[in-house]
Amino acid sequence: AGRRPGAGRGGPGGGSAEKSFCRGISSDERPKRPLTGYFRFLKEKHSGFREENPEMSHMELIRKIAGAWRALPASEKQVYEEARKTDWQRYEEQLATYKAQLTPAQAEALREERRRQLARRRLFKAKRELTVLGKPKRPRTGFNIFVSEHFKESEGISPVAKLKQLFDGWHKLSDSQKQPYLQLAEDDKVRYENEMTLWETKMVELGREDLVRSRKQRPKKKSVETAKQAETAKASSHENKAKLKLEKSEE
């Protein structure tokens, strides 16, 4: 009784236990935040809307339910909001009890995990905004182009197996065999820079100068030979990253 979350497991001093707690800090031991009024409505109505609209895709169905929520009278929305308030009070009490059991190290790990979660959410939100604003896709490397061209025909049951075969295949190519892919990558860089110039002009017109690259971030013009060397080096860097991912996936 009264054991702290994660305590009593692992080696002396609970070191490995606290390490384990830090890794799995969003465990079932921590109270879950109550659903908002809208998500309660969504959860309650989802199956009914699905039965009425079996032909709809998941996103279409969600949009339809969201529309129904917006059209819901304030008095009916209040029922869901009141349920949330009741659950929120219970959640705060349970959370206070949970935090009181934590060691200082666990409490700090919890705060750090929260900071990481918020950072991930901000990054996701920023990426989604750029997608909505139509930011051009980054240029591909020669290795990327080689993979996309041969992925379907490569042998292997799993995507990892296919990538491993393609990785080995790319390394077996001679410089002259790699050249068409490196040239396509150079062409894609030109495409990217042209599209970015137009996109950044549009962002300035919309008052979003914060999304425009500074002069330091913009690539300098290179000679043909220097560009080829840079692309080869970049392709090699992507190969090494792909290799590391493959090695990790096989562990």
Side-chain angles (χ1 to χ4, degrees):
R3 188 176 71 178
R4 297 178 187 274
R9 295 187 294 272
S16 61
E18 295 206 0
K19 187 176 180 181
S20 174
F21 177 85
C22 294
R23 284 199 303 269
I25 200 141
S26 299
S27 66
D28 291 336
E29 295 179 40
R30 191 180 193 280
K32 298 292 186 291
R33 293 170 68 89
L35 295 175
T36 63
Y38 166 66
F39 278 105
R40 288 170 188 274
F41 178 79
L42 174 65
K43 188 176 180 181
E44 180 183 298
K45 303 294 183 182
H46 188 274
S47 59
F49 272 77
R50 170 53 71 195
E51 288 177 9
E52 294 173 7
N53 305 275
E55 76 290 347
M56 282 190 173
S57 68
H58 176 70
M59 287 308 300
E60 288 172 336
L61 194 68
I62 295 299
R63 290 193 192 101
K64 189 172 182 66
I65 297 174
W69 170 258
R70 285 193 294 271
L72 202 67
S75 58
E76 292 184 41
K77 281 185 179 179
Q78 189 62 28
V79 175
Y80 295 97
E81 296 298 346
E82 287 299 327
R84 178 184 180 275
K85 287 180 182 178
T86 300
D87 281 356
W88 186 266
Q89 185 175 356
R90 187 184 305 116
Y91 162 75
E92 288 189 321
E93 293 170 357
Q94 292 173 344
L95 186 63
T97 301
Y98 171 75
K99 287 183 175 180
Q101 300 179 64
L102 301 178
T103 65
Q106 288 172 339
E108 178 56 34
L110 189 68
R111 286 191 290 272
E112 179 58 32
E113 176 61 19
R114 179 63 177 162
R115 284 191 287 269
R116 283 197 293 267
Q117 287 176 348
L118 290 174
R120 284 195 293 269
R121 286 179 190 173
R122 283 194 293 269
L123 180 61
F124 175 77
K125 192 174 181 180
K127 285 183 176 180
R128 185 172 58 183
E129 181 185 30
L130 291 175
T131 300
V132 171
L133 290 171
K135 185 176 181 180
K137 291 185 178 180
R138 295 186 64 83
R140 297 179 297 169
T141 66
F143 177 63
N144 293 150
I145 295 170
F146 173 78
V147 169
S148 62
E149 186 177 302
H150 297 284
F151 189 80
K152 287 185 179 180
E153 67 192 47
S154 61
E155 297 177 2
I157 299 173
S158 68
V160 172
K162 285 177 177 286
L163 282 174
K164 188 176 189 307
Q165 187 201 30
L166 290 168
F167 183 81
D168 293 338
W170 174 258
H171 272 284
K172 290 176 183 177
L173 295 180
S174 64
D175 289 344
S176 60
Q177 289 174 316
K178 287 182 179 180
Q179 188 53 41
Y181 299 103
L182 297 179
Q183 183 57 54
L184 286 171
E186 280 299 311
D187 295 342
D188 202 33
K189 284 170 68 176
V190 173
R191 182 273 313 164
Y192 174 72
E193 284 306 318
N194 289 338
E195 289 182 359
M196 278 297 292
T197 299
L198 292 172
W199 184 78
E200 288 179 332
T201 300
K202 182 180 178 182
M203 291 303 102
V204 171
E205 292 172 356
L206 293 174
R208 293 302 306 271
E209 290 89 348
D210 57 305
L211 298 177
V212 177
R213 295 169 296 175
S214 66
R215 291 184 180 277
K216 291 181 180 179
Q217 292 174 308
R218 296 178 186 179
K220 297 177 182 178
K221 291 185 177 180
K222 305 171 185 174
S223 66
V224 175
E225 187 60 34
T226 304
K228 287 180 180 178
Q229 291 173 356
E231 179 55 36
T232 301
K234 189 174 181 181
S236 178
S237 173
H238 278 265
E239 292 166 38
N240 291 333
K241 288 179 181 178
K243 186 177 180 180
L244 285 172
K245 286 182 180 179
L246 288 171
E247 288 173 350
K248 286 181 180 179
S249 67
E250 291 174 346
E251 288 178 354

